[in-house]
Amino acid sequence: MYCFWWGLRNLSSLGSNLQTSTYFWENCFAVFISIYGLLLFLYFIGNAQTFMQMATEKAANKAKKLEKIEKIESWMARNHLPANMKEPIINCIRQRLKENKDLDMDKLISHLSKDLITEIKHHLCLPLLKKVPILENQGDQNLLERICESLKPKYYCEDSYILREGEPLTVMLFIMQGSVWCFKTSNDENVEGTISDGVDHQSIEKFELYGEELLEWRLNHYPSHKKSLPTSTKTVKTHSKVEAFALTANDLKHLVPMHT
């Protein structure tokens, strides 16, 4: 036992200052002190490592949350939302983050409450609707609000087709972010997929709309033509990532009464 203690004392710094005689129980006590000290040290190291890992993860999560809050503020600034809407939106997103929900920041509006989404649609889309010539003479504020409430958020990737020339016009788009190309040509596009020279094209940017002919079709619609949709006179293709609100023809049928 004395030899065992001598070897253990030279391998470990714990209890190395304990000088024992050859008495058996004295050496047992020294070995116990050394091994118990080693176990306590390992326990401390394990807890310290766990604490550091948790602190690192907490700091990383906090940084991600701050980054998301900055993206929210940037998104609100790009859409020119009023100051009184900023705090409710941030509080709603913070609540989602507390629930440990994985938020897709590219589809931010889908994570907001129903009331906030409705308020945002009224703020962003009502001014656009009021600019549509056929609605200027309507004077029906309730109709405009019902149209806004029926809008659905849509997201399109870069260089993707939304509508093609000659196909039924099934949707009216309110562009919130990004830009789209509207072009009319008998040859459509060249092989590389870019707009050919000489094509009559138009760029629609943020806070603009496309497809107001859908409203004209419904407001001037008669029962004998109830199954025919207007035809898209242009091909609509995204130039960049696009965030928009969409009003479909089916939703419009339930919102606008048919003329008789």
Side-chain angles (χ1 to χ4, degrees):
M1 178 56 68
Y2 180 80
C3 294
F4 177 75
W5 163 241
W6 179 87
L8 182 63
R9 185 177 61 182
N10 284 274
L11 290 174
S12 172
S13 61
L14 298 173
S16 59
N17 60 337
L18 297 177
Q19 301 294 331
T20 65
S21 65
T22 57
Y23 183 59
F24 176 80
W25 292 110
E26 185 178 352
N27 286 279
C28 286
F29 177 76
V31 169
F32 171 78
I33 292 296
S34 180
I35 294 177
Y36 185 71
L38 179 61
L39 293 176
L40 287 177
F41 180 74
L42 293 176
Y43 177 76
F44 169 77
I45 291 296
N47 283 348
Q49 185 178 5
T50 302
F51 173 78
M52 292 176 64
Q53 184 176 359
M54 291 177 61
T56 302
E57 291 178 356
K58 185 177 180 180
N61 291 334
K62 185 177 181 180
K64 289 181 180 179
K65 290 180 180 180
L66 289 175
E67 183 181 358
K68 289 180 179 180
I69 295 298
E70 290 177 358
K71 288 183 178 180
I72 295 169
E73 293 176 346
S74 176
W75 177 82
M76 291 187 294
R78 290 198 306 269
N79 287 289
H80 306 302
L81 296 181
N84 62 332
M85 293 178 61
K86 292 183 178 180
E87 186 175 352
I89 291 174
I90 292 178
N91 290 337
C92 183
I93 295 299
R94 281 177 176 169
Q95 182 62 33
R96 297 291 189 272
L97 293 174
K98 286 181 181 179
E99 296 171 359
N100 294 323
K101 291 187 176 181
D102 187 15
L103 302 184
D104 186 355
M105 301 308 293
D106 292 331
K107 300 179 180 179
L108 178 63
I109 196 170
S110 61
H111 303 295
L112 301 177
S113 64
K114 185 177 179 180
D115 293 339
L116 281 175
I117 293 175
T118 300
E119 191 174 355
I120 290 172
K121 288 190 292 188
H122 282 194
H123 176 76
L124 295 178
C125 300
L126 267 179
L128 297 179
L129 282 172
K130 291 178 180 179
K131 294 179 181 179
V132 178
I134 197 170
L135 291 177
E136 288 180 346
N137 301 324
Q138 289 291 320
D140 189 352
Q141 183 68 20
N142 291 331
L143 174 60
L144 297 180
E145 292 180 357
R146 292 200 306 272
I147 291 176
C148 279
E149 292 172 2
S150 298
L151 296 174
K152 297 178 177 63
K154 292 287 184 180
Y155 304 90
Y156 299 95
C157 299
E158 184 179 358
D159 293 330
S160 61
Y161 287 93
I162 302 175
L163 293 168
R164 292 181 183 271
E165 182 181 351
E167 293 181 350
L169 182 64
T170 58
V171 65
M172 183 170 66
L173 291 175
F174 297 75
I175 308 299
M176 298 295 105
Q177 297 294 331
S179 61
V180 299
W181 286 106
C182 302
F183 54 93
K184 183 176 181 179
T185 174
S186 57
N187 296 324
D188 288 336
E189 298 184 65
N190 57 21
V191 178
E192 289 77 9
T194 57
I195 299 175
S196 305
D197 295 336
V199 175
D200 179 18
H201 61 271
Q202 173 191 4
S203 176
I204 299 180
E205 305 294 336
K206 60 187 296 187
F207 304 137
E208 296 181 4
L209 61 86
Y210 175 82
E212 57 267 28
E213 297 89 351
L214 199 61
L215 280 173
E216 297 175 0
W217 161 79
R218 187 60 184 174
L219 292 172
N220 296 325
H221 203 148
Y222 293 91
S224 59
H225 303 91
K226 64 181 179 180
K227 292 185 179 180
S228 58
L229 286 170
T231 301
S232 177
T233 58
K234 294 182 179 181
T235 296
V236 182
K237 182 180 180 182
T238 61
H239 181 63
S240 61
K241 287 184 178 181
V242 171
E243 178 182 342
F245 286 109
L247 178 67
T248 65
N250 289 331
D251 291 332
L252 194 56
K253 288 179 182 179
H254 298 90
L255 291 172
V256 181
M258 184 180 294
H259 288 183
T260 58

